[in-house]
Amino acid sequence: MDNLPSLYPFQHHSAATSMQTLLTAEQLSEGIDRLARDVRQAYGDGPLTVVGVLTGSVVVVSDLIRRLDGPVRLSMVWASSYRGTATRAGRLDLRLDLLPDLTGQHVLLVDDIFDSGRTLEAILADLRGRGAVSVRSLVLLRKQGRAEVAIEPDFVGFDIPDLFVVGYGLDYDGAWRHLPHVAVLDADDIATGSVGPVGGVGGARLRM
Ligand code: 5GP
Ligand code: MG
């Protein structure tokens, strides 16, 4: 991989294996199987409009919809809480202009992780004003003890401890989304800035 452009963000892939794995690819696959069953049980065989939240939900959405029998539409919205290199969320920025007409549809909003819950709360509030028959939400991960809102997701893949995680769609400063598993990023490394998009290349310390 030495001949790749220096800005190519994924040349640190081997460093990923030294991060602590929280959920293996197999556990994630079983979790998505379970979520797909639960979703179909709730909706029956009727048509469903899945709305994914870019960018973190792309992996869970693509795995989930391929397990949902029956008619499924897919649309995406975009959200960012300007987290960047910080673990605390900043101002929430939403772009919902790609949404089709949702009148009369059953809508399932899908995100990667429920942390404070503010992202899901804000998008759900908007979706509820668009004439859908029903609006529910699904998250792959829910962090324990972090919620700042009164709502809860209708479907949850895994409850996890209050740790900063990457992989399976979740990023740290744009990197690590491509990992097939979910790994924990060390809080000290985040605080000192010793990991980043090219973490592991420049002598970054990643917890075993
Ligand atoms: P909330 O609005 O629930 O506080 O945050 C939800 C969003 O914050 C997620 O969609 C995700 O982008 C980001 N986020 C929260 N916790 C984590 C985490 O542990 N790892 C990563 N990579 N992103 C997180
Ligand atoms: Mg996100």
PDB file of all heavy atoms in Angstrom, residues 81 83 111-119 143 163-166 170-171, ligand 1:
ATOM      1  N   SER A  81     -23.478  16.567  13.904  1.00  0.00           N
ATOM      2  CA  SER A  81     -23.500  17.372  15.120  1.00  0.00           C
ATOM      3  C   SER A  81     -22.130  17.999  15.368  1.00  0.00           C
ATOM      4  O   SER A  81     -21.784  18.328  16.485  1.00  0.00           O
ATOM      5  CB  SER A  81     -23.961  16.545  16.320  1.00  0.00           C
ATOM      6  OG  SER A  81     -23.375  15.269  16.292  1.00  0.00           O
ATOM      7  N   ARG A  83     -19.214  16.951  15.561  1.00  0.00           N
ATOM      8  CA  ARG A  83     -18.438  16.318  16.620  1.00  0.00           C
ATOM      9  C   ARG A  83     -16.952  16.419  16.292  1.00  0.00           C
ATOM     10  O   ARG A  83     -16.150  16.690  17.156  1.00  0.00           O
ATOM     11  CB  ARG A  83     -18.855  14.861  16.717  1.00  0.00           C
ATOM     12  CG  ARG A  83     -18.897  14.323  18.098  1.00  0.00           C
ATOM     13  CD  ARG A  83     -19.615  12.996  18.071  1.00  0.00           C
ATOM     14  NE  ARG A  83     -21.045  13.184  18.018  1.00  0.00           N
ATOM     15  CZ  ARG A  83     -21.836  12.997  19.066  1.00  0.00           C
ATOM     16  NH1 ARG A  83     -21.324  12.635  20.203  1.00  0.00           N
ATOM     17  NH2 ARG A  83     -23.122  13.169  18.969  1.00  0.00           N
ATOM     18  N   ASP A 111     -30.601   4.941  12.213  1.00  0.00           N
ATOM     19  CA  ASP A 111     -29.313   5.589  12.466  1.00  0.00           C
ATOM     20  C   ASP A 111     -28.338   4.588  13.087  1.00  0.00           C
ATOM     21  O   ASP A 111     -28.727   3.519  13.540  1.00  0.00           O
ATOM     22  CB  ASP A 111     -29.472   6.829  13.361  1.00  0.00           C
ATOM     23  CG  ASP A 111     -28.323   7.831  13.166  1.00  0.00           C
ATOM     24  OD1 ASP A 111     -27.410   7.573  12.343  1.00  0.00           O
ATOM     25  OD2 ASP A 111     -28.332   8.879  13.840  1.00  0.00           O
ATOM     26  N   ASP A 112     -27.061   4.997  13.088  1.00  0.00           N
ATOM     27  CA  ASP A 112     -26.034   4.100  13.604  1.00  0.00           C
ATOM     28  C   ASP A 112     -26.070   3.991  15.125  1.00  0.00           C
ATOM     29  O   ASP A 112     -26.011   2.904  15.685  1.00  0.00           O
ATOM     30  CB  ASP A 112     -24.637   4.550  13.123  1.00  0.00           C
ATOM     31  CG  ASP A 112     -24.361   6.037  13.377  1.00  0.00           C
ATOM     32  OD1 ASP A 112     -25.219   6.737  13.981  1.00  0.00           O
ATOM     33  OD2 ASP A 112     -23.281   6.515  12.969  1.00  0.00           O
ATOM     34  N   ILE A 113     -26.184   5.152  15.801  1.00  0.00           N
ATOM     35  CA  ILE A 113     -26.057   5.110  17.261  1.00  0.00           C
ATOM     36  C   ILE A 113     -26.918   6.181  17.917  1.00  0.00           C
ATOM     37  O   ILE A 113     -27.068   7.283  17.398  1.00  0.00           O
ATOM     38  CB  ILE A 113     -24.562   5.244  17.680  1.00  0.00           C
ATOM     39  CG1 ILE A 113     -24.370   5.026  19.183  1.00  0.00           C
ATOM     40  CG2 ILE A 113     -23.982   6.565  17.247  1.00  0.00           C
ATOM     41  CD1 ILE A 113     -22.902   4.807  19.580  1.00  0.00           C
ATOM     42  N   PHE A 114     -27.504   5.821  19.026  1.00  0.00           N
ATOM     43  CA  PHE A 114     -28.312   6.729  19.838  1.00  0.00           C
ATOM     44  C   PHE A 114     -27.456   7.104  21.034  1.00  0.00           C
ATOM     45  O   PHE A 114     -27.168   6.282  21.900  1.00  0.00           O
ATOM     46  CB  PHE A 114     -29.576   5.992  20.288  1.00  0.00           C
ATOM     47  CG  PHE A 114     -30.617   6.842  20.966  1.00  0.00           C
ATOM     48  CD1 PHE A 114     -31.588   7.504  20.227  1.00  0.00           C
ATOM     49  CD2 PHE A 114     -30.660   6.933  22.342  1.00  0.00           C
ATOM     50  CE1 PHE A 114     -32.591   8.252  20.858  1.00  0.00           C
ATOM     51  CE2 PHE A 114     -31.644   7.680  22.982  1.00  0.00           C
ATOM     52  CZ  PHE A 114     -32.608   8.337  22.241  1.00  0.00           C
ATOM     53  N   ASP A 115     -27.015   8.359  21.061  1.00  0.00           N
ATOM     54  CA  ASP A 115     -26.115   8.813  22.127  1.00  0.00           C
ATOM     55  C   ASP A 115     -26.922   9.764  23.017  1.00  0.00           C
ATOM     56  O   ASP A 115     -27.619   9.326  23.922  1.00  0.00           O
ATOM     57  CB  ASP A 115     -24.895   9.475  21.484  1.00  0.00           C
ATOM     58  CG  ASP A 115     -23.833   9.868  22.489  1.00  0.00           C
ATOM     59  OD1 ASP A 115     -23.834   9.306  23.600  1.00  0.00           O
ATOM     60  OD2 ASP A 115     -22.989  10.729  22.179  1.00  0.00           O
ATOM     61  N   SER A 116     -26.879  11.068  22.750  1.00  0.00           N
ATOM     62  CA  SER A 116     -27.763  11.973  23.494  1.00  0.00           C
ATOM     63  C   SER A 116     -29.208  11.808  23.024  1.00  0.00           C
ATOM     64  O   SER A 116     -30.151  12.121  23.746  1.00  0.00           O
ATOM     65  CB  SER A 116     -27.326  13.437  23.290  1.00  0.00           C
ATOM     66  OG  SER A 116     -27.665  13.871  21.994  1.00  0.00           O
ATOM     67  N   GLY A 117     -29.370  11.343  21.808  1.00  0.00           N
ATOM     68  CA  GLY A 117     -30.710  11.183  21.236  1.00  0.00           C
ATOM     69  C   GLY A 117     -31.198  12.410  20.473  1.00  0.00           C
ATOM     70  O   GLY A 117     -32.272  12.398  19.886  1.00  0.00           O
ATOM     71  N   ARG A 118     -30.384  13.477  20.476  1.00  0.00           N
ATOM     72  CA  ARG A 118     -30.851  14.740  19.884  1.00  0.00           C
ATOM     73  C   ARG A 118     -30.991  14.651  18.355  1.00  0.00           C
ATOM     74  O   ARG A 118     -31.887  15.258  17.781  1.00  0.00           O
ATOM     75  CB  ARG A 118     -29.918  15.892  20.266  1.00  0.00           C
ATOM     76  CG  ARG A 118     -29.859  16.102  21.776  1.00  0.00           C
ATOM     77  CD  ARG A 118     -29.668  17.546  22.187  1.00  0.00           C
ATOM     78  NE  ARG A 118     -29.744  17.657  23.636  1.00  0.00           N
ATOM     79  CZ  ARG A 118     -30.874  17.822  24.306  1.00  0.00           C
ATOM     80  NH1 ARG A 118     -32.013  17.929  23.662  1.00  0.00           N
ATOM     81  NH2 ARG A 118     -30.871  17.877  25.627  1.00  0.00           N
ATOM     82  N   THR A 119     -30.106  13.885  17.709  1.00  0.00           N
ATOM     83  CA  THR A 119     -30.203  13.736  16.251  1.00  0.00           C
ATOM     84  C   THR A 119     -31.524  13.069  15.876  1.00  0.00           C
ATOM     85  O   THR A 119     -32.285  13.576  15.042  1.00  0.00           O
ATOM     86  CB  THR A 119     -29.024  12.884  15.724  1.00  0.00           C
ATOM     87  OG1 THR A 119     -27.795  13.479  16.133  1.00  0.00           O
ATOM     88  CG2 THR A 119     -29.068  12.773  14.220  1.00  0.00           C
ATOM     89  N   LYS A 143     -26.118   3.945  23.488  1.00  0.00           N
ATOM     90  CA  LYS A 143     -25.165   4.088  24.600  1.00  0.00           C
ATOM     91  C   LYS A 143     -25.899   4.226  25.917  1.00  0.00           C
ATOM     92  O   LYS A 143     -26.842   5.015  26.024  1.00  0.00           O
ATOM     93  CB  LYS A 143     -24.293   5.328  24.386  1.00  0.00           C
ATOM     94  CG  LYS A 143     -22.993   5.024  23.709  1.00  0.00           C
ATOM     95  CD  LYS A 143     -22.051   6.202  23.821  1.00  0.00           C
ATOM     96  CE  LYS A 143     -21.305   6.368  22.526  1.00  0.00           C
ATOM     97  NZ  LYS A 143     -20.407   7.525  22.556  1.00  0.00           N
ATOM     98  N   LEU A 163     -18.751   4.361  25.674  1.00  0.00           N
ATOM     99  CA  LEU A 163     -17.419   4.369  25.079  1.00  0.00           C
ATOM    100  C   LEU A 163     -17.529   4.951  23.681  1.00  0.00           C
ATOM    101  O   LEU A 163     -18.596   4.873  23.075  1.00  0.00           O
ATOM    102  CB  LEU A 163     -16.870   2.939  24.965  1.00  0.00           C
ATOM    103  CG  LEU A 163     -16.716   2.159  26.268  1.00  0.00           C
ATOM    104  CD1 LEU A 163     -16.532   0.680  25.984  1.00  0.00           C
ATOM    105  CD2 LEU A 163     -15.538   2.718  27.058  1.00  0.00           C
ATOM    106  N   PHE A 164     -16.429   5.524  23.169  1.00  0.00           N
ATOM    107  CA  PHE A 164     -16.471   6.023  21.797  1.00  0.00           C
ATOM    108  C   PHE A 164     -16.103   4.886  20.852  1.00  0.00           C
ATOM    109  O   PHE A 164     -15.027   4.308  20.941  1.00  0.00           O
ATOM    110  CB  PHE A 164     -15.522   7.208  21.594  1.00  0.00           C
ATOM    111  CG  PHE A 164     -15.763   7.901  20.291  1.00  0.00           C
ATOM    112  CD1 PHE A 164     -16.780   8.838  20.167  1.00  0.00           C
ATOM    113  CD2 PHE A 164     -15.007   7.581  19.165  1.00  0.00           C
ATOM    114  CE1 PHE A 164     -17.041   9.453  18.950  1.00  0.00           C
ATOM    115  CE2 PHE A 164     -15.260   8.201  17.941  1.00  0.00           C
ATOM    116  CZ  PHE A 164     -16.281   9.138  17.841  1.00  0.00           C
ATOM    117  N   VAL A 165     -17.039   4.555  19.966  1.00  0.00           N
ATOM    118  CA  VAL A 165     -16.845   3.399  19.100  1.00  0.00           C
ATOM    119  C   VAL A 165     -16.742   3.804  17.629  1.00  0.00           C
ATOM    120  O   VAL A 165     -17.277   4.838  17.214  1.00  0.00           O
ATOM    121  CB  VAL A 165     -17.994   2.373  19.272  1.00  0.00           C
ATOM    122  CG1 VAL A 165     -17.929   1.730  20.654  1.00  0.00           C
ATOM    123  CG2 VAL A 165     -19.362   3.018  19.049  1.00  0.00           C
ATOM    124  N   VAL A 166     -16.042   2.971  16.874  1.00  0.00           N
ATOM    125  CA  VAL A 166     -15.892   3.185  15.429  1.00  0.00           C
ATOM    126  C   VAL A 166     -16.111   1.865  14.708  1.00  0.00           C
ATOM    127  O   VAL A 166     -16.102   0.799  15.313  1.00  0.00           O
ATOM    128  CB  VAL A 166     -14.482   3.738  15.074  1.00  0.00           C
ATOM    129  CG1 VAL A 166     -14.274   5.126  15.650  1.00  0.00           C
ATOM    130  CG2 VAL A 166     -13.390   2.777  15.530  1.00  0.00           C
ATOM    131  N   LEU A 170     -19.512   3.722  11.623  1.00  0.00           N
ATOM    132  CA  LEU A 170     -19.186   4.798  12.570  1.00  0.00           C
ATOM    133  C   LEU A 170     -17.747   5.265  12.374  1.00  0.00           C
ATOM    134  O   LEU A 170     -16.837   4.448  12.239  1.00  0.00           O
ATOM    135  CB  LEU A 170     -19.379   4.305  14.007  1.00  0.00           C
ATOM    136  CG  LEU A 170     -20.822   4.046  14.395  1.00  0.00           C
ATOM    137  CD1 LEU A 170     -20.965   2.727  15.115  1.00  0.00           C
ATOM    138  CD2 LEU A 170     -21.355   5.178  15.242  1.00  0.00           C
ATOM    139  N   ASP A 171     -17.560   6.588  12.394  1.00  0.00           N
ATOM    140  CA  ASP A 171     -16.238   7.128  12.096  1.00  0.00           C
ATOM    141  C   ASP A 171     -15.614   7.833  13.286  1.00  0.00           C
ATOM    142  O   ASP A 171     -16.278   8.178  14.259  1.00  0.00           O
ATOM    143  CB  ASP A 171     -16.344   8.150  10.955  1.00  0.00           C
ATOM    144  CG  ASP A 171     -16.960   9.474  11.423  1.00  0.00           C
ATOM    145  OD1 ASP A 171     -18.033   9.422  12.052  1.00  0.00           O
ATOM    146  OD2 ASP A 171     -16.359  10.535  11.186  1.00  0.00           O
TER     147      ASP A 171
HETATM  148  P1  5GP B   1     -26.796  12.021  19.360  1.00  0.00           P
HETATM  149  O1  5GP B   1     -27.502  13.078  18.587  1.00  0.00           O
HETATM  150  O2  5GP B   1     -27.676  10.833  19.707  1.00  0.00           O
HETATM  151  O3  5GP B   1     -26.068  12.559  20.552  1.00  0.00           O
HETATM  152  O4  5GP B   1     -25.625  11.503  18.451  1.00  0.00           O
HETATM  153  C1  5GP B   1     -25.863  10.687  17.383  1.00  0.00           C
HETATM  154  C2  5GP B   1     -24.717  10.823  16.419  1.00  0.00           C
HETATM  155  O5  5GP B   1     -23.484  11.137  17.086  1.00  0.00           O
HETATM  156  C3  5GP B   1     -24.476   9.514  15.726  1.00  0.00           C
HETATM  157  O6  5GP B   1     -25.228   9.422  14.537  1.00  0.00           O
HETATM  158  C4  5GP B   1     -22.987   9.553  15.456  1.00  0.00           C
HETATM  159  O7  5GP B   1     -22.751  10.249  14.263  1.00  0.00           O
HETATM  160  C5  5GP B   1     -22.424  10.374  16.598  1.00  0.00           C
HETATM  161  N1  5GP B   1     -21.881   9.527  17.696  1.00  0.00           N
HETATM  162  C6  5GP B   1     -22.355   9.424  18.954  1.00  0.00           C
HETATM  163  N2  5GP B   1     -21.632   8.550  19.670  1.00  0.00           N
HETATM  164  C7  5GP B   1     -20.687   8.078  18.845  1.00  0.00           C
HETATM  165  C8  5GP B   1     -19.604   7.119  18.999  1.00  0.00           C
HETATM  166  O8  5GP B   1     -19.373   6.493  20.035  1.00  0.00           O
HETATM  167  N3  5GP B   1     -18.836   6.916  17.902  1.00  0.00           N
HETATM  168  C9  5GP B   1     -19.042   7.549  16.720  1.00  0.00           C
HETATM  169  N4  5GP B   1     -18.219   7.246  15.717  1.00  0.00           N
HETATM  170  N5  5GP B   1     -20.036   8.460  16.544  1.00  0.00           N
HETATM  171  C10 5GP B   1     -20.851   8.704  17.594  1.00  0.00           C
END
